[in-house]
Amino acid sequence: MSRKPTISIVTPSYNQAEYVGRTVRSVLLQRYANLEYVVMDGGSDDGSQEVLEGYRDRLAHYESAPDGGQSDAVKRGFERTSGEIMAWLNSDDVLAPGALDFVADYFERNPGVDAIYSHRVIIDANDRTIGYWVLGEHDDWLMSHWDLIPQETCFWRRSLYEKAGPVDDSFRFALDYDLFSRFMEHGRMERVDRFLGAFRMHDVSKTVQQLETIGMREIVRVHQARGLRFGRYARFRGPIFTKMAQLRAAWHVRRKTVKPGNLPGLGWDYDDLWGGLMREGALPPKASAQIETKPEGAAEVAGA
């Protein structure tokens, strides 16, 4: 059997004690041997450090200290990694079972594809499924003009990241949109027909709090930086695409369609997909092939 590629995942976190344990467990429960998992905590004071301490020996790198925000944490986290495949997972989102094996196999079978993403499952603060985002085939023009790629489901080759340039740490909201728009200038992206993870909506999520203010300003900034133009009729394509995604989602719910990474309909507990292990329970034995790096400043972190 060929060696599985190393997958590097970074989780930026700040004061997400309520959710970060579920995020970390959804990564570790993948049972993916060649995993390089980095957690960058911004010096949380809500109990997050106590939660993360229980997983430190399974992380390639973990630190907890004040930082420059999410984009700074993601960028510096990636600098700690070396895997052939990369992604970041925010500290309130979760991966679907089997996501990493699927990603590794997909890239191996499709050498001409540089980045992939999937449909989106939307969950609430209590892990209940409250919606879907069911996307059509990938379209570079649409996805570069509108911020529509579900970030928690996106994985890419390191070679693409090196061509496109790193995360721009001057962004506070649209760091993923900026990065993905650059990806489309340097490589080939595809939408896969499944759910690779779940996006959490809750009262203090960044999407809820910042979209109409900082978010819109930064999206316009990406348009200007990439030289993206909207013609007379082009402005209708984004809303039409959004409406079609909503209609596909409604049909998906009505038909109780099942794809890898979801259960039928709405209202089900995402932890059921994990067999009850996402919130609690024993983790699998630490894989011998997993990359191990002693976190720098471990003593300082422990005493923070």
Side-chain angles (χ1 to χ4, degrees), residues 129-132 252-258 262-268:
T129 306
I130 58 175
Y132 296 92
H252 181 85
V253 171
R254 181 172 181 178
R255 294 293 300 272
K256 295 188 174 180
T257 306
V258 175
N262 85 293
L263 295 174
L266 295 173
W268 50 273

